[in-house]
Amino acid sequence: MINRECGVYQTTYQSDMALYPVPLARYASIGSLVVLALIPALLDSHSMALVNLITLAAIGAIGLNILVGYTGQVSLGQGAFMMVGSYAAAIATARYGVPFWLGLPLGGAVAAVVGAFFGIPSLRIKGLYLAIATLAAQFIIEWGINHSTWISGGAQSTIYIPTPTFLGWEINTEFRRYYMILPVAVIAYVAALNLVRTRVGRAFIAVRDRDVAAEIIGVSVFKYKLLAFAVSSFYAGVAGALWTYYLKIANYEHFTLVTSVQYLAMIIIGGLGSVLGSVFGAVFITLLPIVLVYVVEGLASLFGFQYAAIADFLANLRLIIFGALIILFLAIEPEGLYRLWGNVRRYFRLWPYSY
């Protein structure tokens, strides 16, 4: 069977440890890549903008899940680390002419250094105390960028960058921006899947499950906690840099505390300790407010209300429904969307001979 381990005989260690040992999983991965590459041919510009926002969010969510889901270190500073990557890439491109494909890893590297620095308190504190420490990082970084003219660019802490180009090809439409973002997202996804299978990934999980026991068996808790912060911040920095190249502007208002909370919601709803769950969470959190806008507007017109007359009320109602749906979802399925996806997969692995 191509969809079950039963009957698929692995004859080498490499094939047994492959990312997708079952044939159907490999075919599905290749098919997914083909579908992702063909999406611009199927959607209009507005839909492509939504896809781009989801893809951008997925990169940052994967990074945060490595820190929170796999290593057990709570962080409320993801927005701040994205801000660092955003400004680092903007400064490199606007002032020194660095192309975007070099600005992306540069933004990630600078964010990784800053993230590792703010991860130092993780050796002594954990849980809610660590969350407060990373919350302080959010405010410190935001204040530092706002009050440093060299970093922020002066007026309104805004740096404008030119349209990114690749081999003379201007990336100036939603379709072209998609092909700028997609390769980065695919690399980030595959790298995270492989990272959690390595010695480093197993050390992350050991620290998450029981840090004292991990240290007793030889895992350097401090080293791997800092490494988790650095890797997570690198992802955040790359996402922030991509956001800057996408909008052609770097501004701190794009990476506030609300952004950090949204990314935390993505990985909790998607599923902690799951790379694919991070993608599910990014889709859910990005699309839910947009869907609610259409629903609330439809209900207003159904009951004969003019949208402009009750716009403020509907805006607040949308936020209330947004929060209520998240609470309801977490109450029904606390293990996230990835658990629901797992239930579907288990059903079809046994189909048509279920229990």
Side-chain angles (χ1 to χ4, degrees):
M1 296 296 290
I2 62 173
N3 63 329
R4 304 172 192 167
E5 288 82 358
C6 179
V8 178
Y9 301 107
Q10 311 293 347
T11 56
T12 64
Y13 179 75
Q14 287 77 12
S15 62
D16 190 40
M17 295 300 295
L19 197 59
Y20 298 110
V22 180
L24 182 61
R26 291 197 292 271
Y27 302 151
S29 302
I30 296 171
S32 300
L33 287 176
V34 173
V35 170
L36 288 173
L38 295 177
I39 279 181
L42 307 173
L43 301 179
D44 58 11
S45 181
H46 175 68
S47 301
M48 283 308 304
L50 295 179
V51 173
N52 287 336
L53 292 178
I54 292 170
T55 313
L56 275 169
I59 298 172
I62 291 171
L64 186 60
N65 216 337
I66 291 173
L67 179 64
V68 180
Y70 284 101
T71 317
Q73 308 301 301
V74 182
S75 173
L76 286 172
Q78 191 73 351
F81 303 136
M82 291 178 68
M83 191 189 311
V84 171
S86 170
Y87 275 93
I91 291 171
T93 298
R95 300 178 189 170
Y96 304 105
V98 173
F100 86 90
W101 49 272
L102 282 179
L104 292 177
L106 177 64
V110 175
V113 173
V114 175
F117 173 76
F118 282 100
I120 291 176
S122 64
L123 180 65
R124 301 297 300 271
I125 56 179
K126 61 176 68 173
L128 291 177
Y129 299 98
L130 181 59
I132 297 301
T134 55
L135 180 63
Q138 173 75 39
F139 293 126
I140 291 171
I141 291 173
E142 189 174 324
W143 185 90
I145 289 177
N146 271 323
H147 289 79
S148 174
T149 307
W150 184 84
I151 298 176
S152 64
Q156 299 180 345
S157 301
T158 301
I159 301 176
Y160 295 94
I161 64 171
T163 302
T165 60
F166 185 71
L167 300 176
W169 192 54
E170 282 200 341
I171 305 174
N172 53 5
T173 66
E174 293 296 340
F175 301 97
R176 295 183 178 186
R177 292 185 190 113
Y178 175 73
Y179 287 117
M180 175 181 70
I181 299 170
L182 179 64
V184 181
V186 171
I187 291 172
Y189 182 84
V190 176
L193 284 178
N194 282 288
L195 174 67
V196 298
R197 302 188 311 143
T198 62
R199 178 187 180 91
V200 173
R202 289 193 291 272
F204 286 169
I205 295 171
V207 170
R208 177 197 65 188
D209 291 345
R210 185 68 68 180
D211 54 354
V212 176
E215 191 161 21
I216 290 173
I217 62 175
V219 175
S220 174
V221 174
F222 183 52
K223 171 186 169 184
Y224 284 107
K225 282 185 176 180
L226 281 190
L227 186 59
F229 267 97
V231 172
S232 174
S233 302
F234 181 86
Y235 272 77
V238 170
L242 265 177
W243 183 257
T244 295
Y245 290 118
Y246 179 71
L247 296 179
K248 296 189 292 184
I249 184 175
N251 188 281
Y252 72 96
E253 292 182 351
H254 298 149
F255 311 105
T256 60
L257 178 60
V258 174
T259 306
S260 297
V261 174
Q262 283 180 339
Y263 274 93
L264 199 57
M266 286 179 198
I267 61 171
I268 292 174
I269 291 175
L272 289 172
S274 163
V275 178
L276 184 59
S278 307
V279 180
F280 289 156
V283 174
F284 185 88
I285 293 295
T286 305
L287 290 185
L288 183 59
I290 298 168
V291 172
L292 282 177
V293 168
Y294 289 115
V295 171
V296 171
E297 288 182 0
L299 290 175
S301 61
L302 180 65
F303 290 102
F305 293 107
Q306 293 294 327
Y307 181 77
I310 55 173
D312 290 340
F313 171 75
L314 292 182
N316 292 322
L317 178 63
R318 180 170 59 86
L319 292 176
I320 293 171
I321 295 175
F322 180 73
L325 282 176
I326 291 177
I327 294 172
L328 181 65
F329 181 85
L330 291 178
I332 296 174
E333 186 48 82
E335 296 187 33
L337 292 168
Y338 184 72
R339 175 59 183 270
L340 297 179
W341 172 244
N343 292 339
V344 174
R345 289 178 57 191
R346 280 188 289 275
Y347 174 80
F348 282 104
R349 283 178 68 183
L350 298 173
W351 186 86
Y353 304 109
S354 58
Y355 292 114

